Amino acid sequence: MSLRRKIIIYVGMTTLCMLSLLYFISERALLHNYERMELENLRENMKKNLLSYFDEYTNLGAIAINYAGWDDTYNFIDRPTIPASNDPYLTVNFTDSLFMSSRLNITLLMNNRKQVYFGKAYDYGNNRPLDYPTTFIHTLQTEYASFFDQSDASSRKMGLLIVDKQPLIATSYPILTSNNEGPVHGTLVFARFLDSNYVQYISEKTDMPLSISIVDPFFIPPVQATTVTVSRKRVMPFWTESDKSTITGFSLLTDVNNKPAVLLKFVKPRELYKEAQRSIFFYMFYFGLSGLVFFFIISCVLQRTIFARLNRTINGMNVIKTKQDFSIRIQESGKDEITQLEKSFNHMMTSLEKSQNEIQYQADHDNLTGLTNRKAFFEYLEKIIKQNHQLPFRFAVIFIDLDRFKLINDTMGHHTGDLLLIEVAGRLRVCMKEGEFLCRLGGDEFCIVSHNVHDFKQIEHLAKVIREAINVPYDLDGYRATISASIGISLYPDHGKDSESLLHHSDVAMLDVKESGKNNYRVYSESIEAIRTRRMLLEQYLKCAIDNDELTLHYQPKLDLARNQIVGVEALLRWTNRQLGHVSPYEFIPIAEYSGIINEIGEWIMRSACRQFIAWRKKSLNMPLIVAINISGVQLLQPNFVDRIRGVFAEEEVDPCHFELEVTESFAIENFEEVINILLELRNLGFMISIDDFGAGYSSMKYVCQLPIQCMKIDKTLIDQLADNIRSQVVVSSLIEMAHRLQLTVVAEGVELPEQLRILQTYRCDQIQGFLISKPVPADRIIEMLNSSDLFLVPETK
């Protein structure tokens, strides 16, 4: 016979036996329990009402302390005379919305001399102001004078008041500074009426109907009254009255003078008692006795046929659940359906054990490198952070990002990129010490957790080892590749006490390395975070700078020393942001280059310079100016740069022969092979090509001879020391002589002193530029300066 059939037969027979038996428990015992339960339920309901009532004190006190412990209130009440009702402090802070949102009825501000500086009454239930609370103030000053006694910073009072036969709850707080310091300058009183609105609010809050009535100050609770404990400091009188249909609970509240004031009343129908009478009378005894017999019989039967074996099976399952070990198996016995269940379950455990091992490995490891992944990294970090609470120690999170990996991936293919990542993972394993944790966060990002960090030198050494290991060339299936890494470091607990903060801060430090030249390491600091935040803000605003008309061009004149005449100007970009004000080009130009915005800004500069040149020519037809424009390296290497600049000058109808393009020496030499052909094309278009900041970088004569330049600008750092440094004089004079032999025009930048000018005249320098002649000025000043050329007369050195 099957187990299912056995259970049906046994349960059917047992149920039939149970239905033939009646009556078990006596009526009186159960009714007594129901009555006790009813009373306890009423007591708990009254306690809930009282708790809700006293919560209002807490709520009122929380509002009061925000205003009483506020410097503005402190200064307001400290005034020698009572302010007018339209005082800004009052109109801003004690609006009708305050009374509505905080359910306030009366607010009172008094100084230490009991002078009322402000008083207001409001009916928040009907959203309308009430008359000035004269009665309230008078009652407080006469019947509840002690309520104002705020002797020190800790003297806060709250309680029940009866004003004009109307109960209300009130709080009285000393007025202090925001640091809770004195001396006490006065008293702040907030009050709320115990009216129908309040009773309805409490009733809705506790979902129990409540009524409130005022009692005589000499009221005495009945003899049978007990107590209900609301909190350790609040024990309230409690008693009940009942009849056959209802049971009523009472509790007495006292005012701030500890005199009886208000009686809380809670009425509840005796539905439970009535239902108990009916149920007990007809059924309880019968079902009690029947249930006992049924339980005995069915327990014996099921225990022998089902429960013993099921319990063993369930216990085995619980062991698997507790230990989370799918290798455990349940003991099989018998030949019925439970046996089949046990076999099926064991087979399922075998499959799950195998799948769990595979899933667990895949969930915690990177398929390509075999390293642990981002998920496992966070789990590991959280684990050691928890351990750190018990045994404090420092550890470092080292964030490693490969430089130029995307270039290798794109040029050599993804397969080669995967081989590179596998090789990098292997080298990082070699760099690690025993017990350190290595993972691949994703892409070309790796992370190492180094334990027991005693000083920075230890981490610095590890970072250097990692950098040197990664810098060694790679042989990837016949391809030879070199790569570097940017490394960011954060320390626990210095830079964060949770996994997200530690990873974020090491990432920030790594990004700072990338933006500073790559192939290095850096420990996180708050200054790095501040700089990055500033850069992000500048980049955000810079994207809208052209549309918001925030960019302008200033022009710095170039003086020809032989003719003593201005022969050119250099266009210099200025940015005045609406939020940040004036932003230095040294700050925003690198950001524009890094983000790619420089291309749009560069085109705007060219068009603006062209239009300004046309405007100058209209005012002075024979104006001999050459306008110099600085070209960023990012612009120069953009595809079709020559075609784009040709298009701009064609659209603006300006001849390129009136313009000079300046390229920095360091960029031109560093990217020599790419730059030389572009500069030749630009020169063929008619532009004058100038090498800027010469002497500040490589100063390689080999490259200078090959670059198609017509002008050399000597860097300001060489000119600064010209007047008092013999070596600077030798270098500058040699550069000028060399440039003249190469038939180049020489411009000295940053000339600020007459002595520098005299020396440059001696060396036959062609042109000068600097504050001695003029700072960068708006465009409308250039024509004025051309017409006042006598201002630039400089006596020759004798």
Side-chain angles (χ1 to χ4, degrees):
M1 184 181 292
S2 69
L3 181 65
R4 178 174 177 272
R5 215 172 257 187
K6 291 177 184 178
I7 293 175
I8 292 175
I9 292 174
Y10 291 138
V11 170
M13 293 176 63
T14 305
T15 303
L16 185 60
C17 293
M18 287 181 61
L19 291 176
S20 64
L21 301 174
L22 294 171
Y23 202 82
F24 174 69
I25 300 174
S26 68
E27 179 180 354
R28 181 174 300 178
L30 287 175
L31 283 178
H32 176 74
N33 287 335
Y34 275 107
E35 287 178 339
R36 182 176 53 81
M37 291 168 57
E38 197 171 54
L39 182 60
E40 287 299 320
N41 187 33
L42 183 66
R43 182 186 295 272
E44 287 302 314
N45 289 338
M46 180 59 75
K47 185 176 180 179
K48 289 180 181 179
N49 279 319
L50 290 171
L51 284 172
S52 297
Y53 168 81
F54 286 112
D55 279 348
E56 294 299 298
Y57 285 111
T58 303
N59 172 264
L60 205 57
I63 302 170
I65 197 170
N66 287 335
Y67 280 80
W70 187 20
D71 290 339
D72 286 359
T73 308
Y74 193 85
N75 295 331
F76 173 83
I77 207 70
D78 193 35
R79 299 183 188 179
T81 59
I82 298 176
S85 60
N86 61 350
D87 187 88
Y89 167 78
L90 298 175
T91 57
V92 171
N93 296 297
F94 292 91
T95 60
D96 291 350
S97 60
L98 168 66
F99 288 78
M100 289 292 295
S101 62
S102 302
R103 296 186 293 107
L104 291 178
N105 289 114
I106 298 177
T107 296
L108 195 61
L109 285 171
M110 300 183 69
N111 64 8
N112 289 336
R113 299 187 301 276
K114 301 298 185 290
Q115 292 178 301
V116 179
Y117 268 51
F118 173 71
K120 181 176 180 180
Y122 194 88
D123 183 357
Y124 67 84
N126 297 313
N127 192 15
R128 61 184 181 85
L130 301 175
D131 295 334
Y132 187 84
T134 305
T135 305
F136 176 78
I137 296 171
H138 175 72
T139 303
L140 285 180
Q141 292 176 336
T142 55
E143 297 181 24
Y144 303 104
S146 62
F147 196 67
F148 283 108
D149 186 15
Q150 306 292 352
S151 58
D152 53 41
S154 63
S155 58
R156 302 169 181 172
K157 299 179 180 178
M158 56 180 64
L160 181 64
L161 308 176
I162 302 297
V163 178
D164 199 17
K165 296 183 179 181
Q166 186 172 8
L168 51 80
I169 60 173
T171 60
S172 172
Y173 275 63
I175 296 177
L176 305 167
T177 66
S178 59
N179 294 325
N180 201 32
E181 296 174 352
V184 176
H185 275 187
T187 305
L188 170 69
V189 177
F190 278 175
R192 186 177 294 156
F193 287 124
L194 300 184
D195 54 10
S196 58
N197 291 326
Y198 179 90
V199 173
Q200 181 181 359
Y201 173 79
I202 294 295
S203 297
E204 291 175 353
K205 187 175 181 182
T206 59
D207 195 22
M208 292 174 283
L210 181 71
S211 61
I212 294 177
S213 60
I214 298 176
V215 298
D216 189 88
F218 302 101
F219 178 85
I220 299 176
V223 177
Q224 72 272 18
T226 58
T227 59
V228 57
T229 302
V230 181
S231 63
R232 288 182 295 176
K233 297 183 179 180
R234 294 191 177 103
V235 180
M236 315 299 297
F238 173 76
W239 66 95
T240 61
E241 295 177 0
S242 62
D243 53 30
K244 292 183 178 181
S245 60
T246 61
I247 181 170
T248 306
F250 299 89
S251 186
L252 182 64
L253 302 177
T254 58
D255 63 10
V256 295
N257 293 331
N258 205 26
K259 294 181 179 180
V262 170
L263 191 64
L264 297 183
K265 180 180 178 182
F266 174 67
V267 181
K268 183 177 181 182
R270 302 195 69 179
E271 296 175 354
L272 182 62
Y273 181 81
K274 293 178 181 179
E275 183 63 28
Q277 283 181 317
R278 289 192 297 267
S279 300
I280 291 170
F281 182 78
F282 292 105
Y283 304 110
M284 187 57 73
F285 180 79
Y286 165 75
F287 282 109
L289 184 58
S290 299
L292 181 62
V293 175
F294 177 82
F295 176 79
F296 176 80
I297 296 175
I298 202 66
S299 295
C300 293
V301 174
L302 295 182
Q303 180 65 31
R304 296 189 61 178
T305 58
I306 299 176
F307 293 153
R309 296 175 61 195
L310 285 180
N311 286 339
R312 187 177 65 247
T313 303
I314 292 170
N315 289 336
M317 293 179 178
N318 288 335
V319 171
I320 296 173
K321 177 181 177 182
T322 303
K323 294 185 177 181
Q324 293 290 306
D325 185 359
F326 290 167
S327 64
I328 299 174
R329 299 293 180 265
I330 296 174
Q331 182 181 355
E332 301 174 6
S333 63
K335 296 181 180 180
D336 51 24
E337 288 88 340
I338 293 181
T339 307
Q340 294 299 320
L341 175 64
E342 292 168 344
K343 290 181 178 180
S344 299
F345 182 82
N346 287 336
H347 180 72
M348 180 180 67
M349 287 297 101
T350 302
S351 301
L352 284 176
E353 181 183 9
K354 182 179 179 180
S355 300
Q356 184 193 40
N357 294 336
E358 294 177 357
I359 293 171
Q360 187 64 42
Y361 184 85
Q362 293 175 0
D364 295 339
H365 289 77
D366 171 45
N367 291 333
L368 178 64
T369 61
L371 299 177
T372 51
N373 58 17
R374 189 183 191 93
K375 170 181 171 291
F377 166 77
F378 280 110
E379 290 176 352
Y380 177 79
L381 214 53
E382 293 293 340
K383 176 182 176 182
I384 63 173
I385 288 173
K386 289 180 180 178
Q387 293 175 352
N388 194 280
H389 292 309
Q390 302 172 355
L391 185 62
F393 60 90
R394 296 178 78 204
F395 64 84
V397 175
I398 305 172
F399 194 113
I400 305 161
D401 186 275
L402 302 182
D403 301 327
R404 299 170 56 250
F405 173 75
K406 185 177 184 300
L407 177 63
I408 292 177
N409 222 19
D410 293 344
T411 55
M412 298 184 180
H414 291 281
H415 174 68
T416 304
D418 289 345
L419 293 178
L420 176 62
L421 291 174
I422 294 171
E423 180 67 22
V424 168
R427 296 187 184 185
L428 290 177
R429 285 192 183 98
V430 175
C431 297
M432 292 171 54
K433 297 179 181 179
E434 184 178 356
E436 293 181 331
F437 181 86
L438 170 64
C439 78
R440 181 189 176 198
L441 293 176
D444 58 345
E445 297 175 344
F446 297 84
C447 201
I448 292 177
V449 180
S450 180
H451 297 280
N452 298 323
V453 177
H454 302 294
D455 54 35
F456 175 68
K457 290 183 179 179
Q458 177 183 348
I459 292 301
E460 185 180 38
H461 174 72
L462 178 57
K464 288 179 179 178
V465 169
I466 293 171
R467 184 181 63 182
E468 292 170 1
I470 292 177
N471 286 346
V472 176
Y474 298 80
D475 186 4
L476 309 171
D477 278 356
Y479 291 100
R480 187 172 177 82
T482 57
I483 200 167
S484 60
S486 298
I487 303 172
I489 304 168
S490 65
L491 298 174
Y492 176 92
D494 308 52
H495 305 141
K497 295 184 179 180
D498 60 86
S499 55
E500 289 290 348
S501 298
L502 290 169
L503 182 62
H504 169 70
H505 290 154
S506 61
D507 187 22
V508 168
M510 180 276 296
L511 291 174
D512 190 62
V513 173
K514 277 197 176 293
E515 294 174 3
S516 304
K518 305 177 181 179
N519 193 25
N520 208 337
Y521 59 88
R522 190 150 302 154
V523 177
Y524 171 80
S525 65
E526 291 184 358
S527 60
I528 293 176
E529 187 84 47
I531 291 171
R532 287 192 56 77
T533 302
R534 169 79 174 177
R535 286 176 181 172
M536 291 175 62
L537 188 64
L538 288 176
E539 181 179 344
Q540 177 184 349
Y541 288 145
L542 197 58
K543 290 179 180 178
C544 305
I546 295 177
D547 294 337
N548 294 338
D549 197 23
E550 296 176 351
L551 299 179
T552 56
L553 289 180
H554 282 204
Y555 299 87
Q556 188 171 29
K558 297 180 184 178
L559 181 68
D560 187 286
L561 295 180
R563 292 182 286 172
N564 200 18
Q565 179 181 358
I566 295 176
V567 294
V569 292
E570 180 179 359
L572 299 171
L573 184 63
R574 297 292 182 265
W575 179 28
T576 303
N577 180 258
R578 297 173 183 176
Q579 286 78 24
L580 304 177
H582 177 70
V583 184
S584 169
Y586 294 103
E587 186 177 14
F588 73 79
I589 290 297
I591 295 174
E593 291 179 333
Y594 180 79
S595 62
I597 306 173
I598 192 65
N599 298 309
E600 183 180 355
I601 293 177
E603 183 172 333
W604 179 88
I605 292 174
M606 291 180 192
R607 292 188 183 277
S608 299
C610 288
R611 293 166 186 173
Q612 186 57 57
F613 179 80
I614 294 173
W616 283 333
R617 292 297 293 266
K618 289 181 180 179
K619 294 183 180 179
S620 177
L621 185 63
N622 297 320
M623 181 187 67
L625 288 183
I626 297 295
V627 180
I629 299 175
N630 290 283
I631 301 298
S632 164
V634 176
Q635 290 177 267
L636 201 64
L637 296 181
Q638 281 292 306
N640 303 320
F641 173 73
V642 176
D643 293 336
R644 290 171 63 187
I645 196 172
R646 181 193 291 116
V648 169
F649 277 79
E651 291 173 9
E652 300 298 333
E653 299 181 352
V654 177
D655 193 336
C657 69
H658 300 295
F659 283 79
E660 175 183 350
L661 303 181
E662 297 185 4
V663 181
T664 60
E665 174 205 8
S666 58
F667 176 79
I669 293 178
E670 184 178 318
N671 303 273
F672 181 79
E673 297 297 333
E674 299 169 277
V675 166
I676 187 168
N677 293 328
I678 297 175
L679 295 182
L680 279 171
E681 291 186 60
L682 292 172
R683 179 170 175 175
N684 292 336
L685 289 178
F687 291 105
M688 179 182 290
I689 308 299
S690 173
I691 188 164
D692 196 10
D693 299 336
F694 193 84
Y698 301 90
S699 301
S700 172
M701 299 302 107
K702 167 189 172 183
Y703 292 108
V704 171
C705 293
Q706 298 181 52
L707 287 171
I709 60 175
Q710 296 134 298
C711 179
M712 175 193 293
K713 299 187 72 174
I714 300 176
D715 189 69
K716 182 179 183 301
T717 56
L718 296 176
I719 303 301
D720 287 342
Q721 305 176 34
L722 193 60
D724 52 10
N725 189 298
I726 299 299
R727 292 190 176 185
S728 294
Q729 294 175 5
V730 172
V731 171
V732 172
S733 62
S734 300
L735 288 177
I736 294 175
E737 182 178 357
M738 177 201 69
H740 284 165
R741 293 191 177 188
L742 294 174
Q743 297 182 348
L744 301 178
T745 301
V746 181
V747 179
E749 296 182 291
V751 179
E752 299 177 354
L753 303 174
E755 183 62 26
Q756 295 171 344
L757 175 60
R758 294 189 187 96
I759 294 174
L760 290 170
Q761 284 180 318
T762 303
Y763 297 157
R764 295 187 302 113
C765 182
D766 299 307
Q767 299 174 13
I768 65 170
Q769 182 180 0
F771 286 3
L772 182 65
I773 305 304
S774 173
K775 295 181 179 181
V777 296
D780 54 7
R781 290 284 312 281
I782 296 299
I783 296 297
E784 298 177 16
M785 298 175 74
L786 284 174
N787 296 333
S788 303
S789 59
D790 57 316
L791 296 175
F792 307 107
L793 292 175
V794 180
E796 293 286 345
T797 303
K798 294 183 180 181

